[in-house]
Amino acid sequence: MKVTVVGAGAVGATCADNIARKELCEELVLLDIKEGLAEGKAQDMMQTAALLGFDTRIVGSTNDYSKTAGSDVVVITSGIPRKPGMTREELIGTNAGIVKTVCENILKYSPEAIIIVISNPMDTMTQLAITSSGIPKNRIIGMGGTLDSARFKYQLSQRLGCSPADLNALVVGGHGDTTMIPLIRFATWNSIPVTKFLSEEEQQQVIADTMVGGATLTKLIGTSAWYAPGAAGAALVESILRDEKKLFTCCVQLDGEYGQKDICLGVPVVIGKNGWEKIVDFDLNDAEKALFQKSADAVRAMNDVLKSL
């Protein structure tokens, strides 16, 4: 197996490190446009192999896509964060150009690759990857909901005083502070609904804290988070390469599911060797359906910016 991670920044390097430590593939290519960055980080990670006991071969590359040839899975983390004074249109315009170019180059050398999109704005970049690449929609996966769900479990574990591993909890909708929908009604602690342990006020606080999870970390750290986003990307790679059929929330193209068409949004999907293999229909109530529609409207507004570029 071979995996490529495009973008050797904090998220990309963390994702690559997780993949290598778990020995999910024989060869891992780390690619970046900045001269020497990917080669340096690849060498640094390879120097941990004797200490950590993994055999994955990590190769760094400065924009040489020929080294990515034959990749089974490609994770795209490249793009720029929004800077002070930068409009939403400017951010989308810059990152859209990056993601489109990356997809074209990746598929030139790995036409059968499954692509995981982490670049922001993630829902719109996933939509762009599908429309610009022309490959089957099951091979394009946006990571956002996987991360949001992990953050949801963290917030629940803090309130309940339990292990996050004992929780099942999903976030659906767009990957943004105002568009994600933590489905607390479906969340369980070892099969028992968490609503049995939390007051309505506590439930609403968990939901609110989950929705601003990324912004909270940016305020504390001074930049976007990378450990959990990188681990989330690696978790999807693992489920694909090991054909685990795990249920994750991922941003995928909908064709009538959850009442939406021609849009990429976060919904529960089964992840296996073919990419996303099945959308799982959670029976949303009227209030949740209304929130999902509102989320879809916001993402569509973001996608409309692509049409003006």
Side-chain angles (χ1 to χ4, degrees):
M1 292 293 182
K2 182 174 180 177
V3 175
T4 289
V5 177
V6 182
V11 174
T14 301
C15 182
D17 188 45
N18 276 275
I19 291 167
R21 289 181 187 224
K22 289 191 171 186
E23 296 185 304
L24 301 181
C25 55
E26 295 169 89
E27 182 179 2
L28 192 154
V29 178
L30 187 61
L31 184 144
D32 200 278
I33 197 170
K34 185 177 180 181
E35 186 72 36
L37 179 65
E39 290 88 342
K41 290 197 176 183
Q43 191 173 132
D44 191 14
M45 279 185 249
M46 281 301 295
Q47 289 170 6
T48 72
L51 302 168
L52 300 174
F54 65 80
D55 293 312
T56 297
R57 184 167 67 95
I58 309 170
V59 177
S61 169
T62 300
N63 226 30
D64 181 2
Y65 281 86
S66 66
K67 291 183 179 179
T68 72
S71 294
D72 297 282
V73 182
V74 176
V75 183
I76 303 177
T77 72
S78 48
I80 63 167
R82 188 168 175 177
K83 300 174 183 177
M86 178 180 281
T87 66
R88 178 181 65 176
E89 288 77 12
E90 288 171 334
L91 174 67
I92 294 175
T94 300
N95 284 355
I98 293 171
V99 169
K100 188 175 182 180
T101 300
V102 169
C103 285
E104 290 172 353
N105 286 317
I106 283 297
L107 293 172
K108 178 181 178 181
Y109 292 99
S110 304
E112 301 302 317
I114 294 169
I115 296 175
I116 297 171
V117 179
I118 296 181
S119 305
N120 279 317
M122 193 273 312
D123 303 291
T124 299
M125 293 302 104
T126 304
Q127 181 81 10
L128 175 66
I130 289 176
T131 56
S132 65
S133 69
I135 67 175
K137 63 181 182 179
N138 66 292
R139 286 169 46 200
I140 304 281
I141 303 167
M143 178 281 291
T146 304
L147 170 62
D148 296 334
S149 297
R151 288 173 170 166
F152 187 22
K153 291 177 184 178
Y154 164 75
Q155 295 296 344
L156 284 169
S157 72
Q158 296 300 292
R159 285 280 174 175
L160 294 168
C162 70
S163 167
D166 279 347
L167 295 167
N168 277 308
L170 289 173
V171 173
V172 297
H175 179 56
D177 292 355
T178 60
T179 55
M180 70 176 75
I181 307 160
L183 295 177
I184 199 159
R185 184 168 66 92
F186 292 99
T188 60
W189 178 9
N190 272 346
S191 301
I192 303 171
V194 300
T195 52
K196 288 186 174 292
F197 305 101
L198 300 174
S199 67
E200 179 63 29
E201 183 180 355
E202 288 174 320
Q203 292 174 43
Q204 293 306 313
Q205 189 61 55
V206 166
I207 290 171
D209 291 344
T210 299
M211 292 178 71
V212 297
T216 299
L217 291 172
T218 299
K219 184 177 180 181
L220 290 169
I221 302 171
T223 185
S224 298
W226 59 90
Y227 291 119
L236 294 177
V237 172
E238 182 172 15
S239 195
I240 292 167
L241 295 183
R242 293 182 173 168
D243 196 23
E244 293 180 329
K245 313 292 189 189
K246 282 189 174 181
L247 185 69
F248 291 97
T249 296
C250 294
C251 180
V252 301
Q253 188 174 60
L254 303 179
D255 187 21
E257 299 91 353
Y258 288 85
Q260 303 296 328
K261 295 189 71 170
D262 300 321
I263 188 173
C264 292
L265 276 173
V267 293
V269 293
V270 175
I271 301 292
K273 64 181 180 181
N274 298 310
W276 68 266
E277 300 182 350
K278 177 183 178 183
I279 293 175
V280 178
D281 184 12
F282 277 41
D283 188 14
L284 302 185
N285 60 30
D286 289 343
E288 292 158 349
K289 287 178 181 177
L291 288 172
F292 197 84
Q293 182 61 56
K294 183 179 179 182
S295 180
D297 292 342
V299 171
R300 280 197 174 88
M302 189 83 75
N303 291 349
D304 285 343
V305 176
L306 288 175
K307 300 174 184 177
S308 64
L309 299 177

